[in-house]
Amino acid sequence: MNITEFQKWVGDFYQERGWTGYGPFIRVGFLMEEAGELARAVRAIEIGRDRPDEGEKPAVEARQELVEELGDVLGNLILLANQYEVSFEEILEAHRAKLQKRYQKSETE
């Protein structure tokens, strides 16, 4: 599945469940919540347990949690893009162009 197909699939999946009725401000709140969960997953991988009363997670479990949280962030980004009718292809191309322009090598290098 390519990114365009995935963007449509996510939109359809959430629409079928009635989860797309939230406006952009609420969706950004969900995105921030998921970003926090992603940060927690990264921290668990990088420095181990989250709290002293928690045990260490096996590496496979910690990685799976990371993958799931990355997916949750991506899903919320897709839904936000859909609300503004912005395709992920457009986002990817604009981001690439911005980085290439900003960090292009000068002719003297």
Side-chain angles (χ1 to χ4, degrees), residues 5-22:
E5 293 167 340
F6 186 69
Q7 183 173 2
K8 180 176 179 346
W9 181 86
V10 168
D12 292 345
F13 186 87
Y14 276 68
Q15 179 71 40
E16 289 168 6
R17 286 155 181 79
W19 299 342
T20 56
Y22 302 109

Side-chain angles (χ1 to χ4, degrees), residues 21-40:
Y22 302 109
F25 285 122
I26 292 173
R27 182 57 55 200
V28 166
F30 289 151
L31 174 60
M32 293 303 100
E33 180 181 343
E34 294 301 343
E37 291 175 13
L38 174 59
R40 186 176 181 174

Side-chain angles (χ1 to χ4, degrees), residues 38-109:
L38 174 59
R40 186 176 181 174
V42 168
R43 183 176 62 191
I45 290 171
E46 294 300 321
I47 64 172
R49 64 189 175 163
D50 188 38
R51 299 185 325 240
D53 63 335
E54 292 181 337
E56 297 275 335
K57 290 183 181 174
V60 172
E61 184 180 325
R63 185 180 187 286
Q64 182 59 37
E65 188 173 322
L66 174 69
V67 170
E68 290 174 9
E69 296 306 337
L70 286 165
D72 290 344
V73 168
L74 180 58
N76 277 282
L77 286 172
I78 287 172
L79 292 170
L80 192 57
N82 288 353
Q83 288 181 332
Y84 289 103
E85 298 179 0
V86 177
S87 74
F88 254 61
E89 286 184 352
E90 181 181 353
I91 295 167
L92 298 174
E93 190 55 41
H95 189 64
R96 181 174 65 174
K98 178 183 84 172
L99 291 176
Q100 287 175 331
K101 181 179 179 187
R102 185 177 291 170
Y103 299 103
Q104 64 185 319
K105 291 183 179 185
S106 67
E107 293 181 23
T108 60
E109 286 185 49

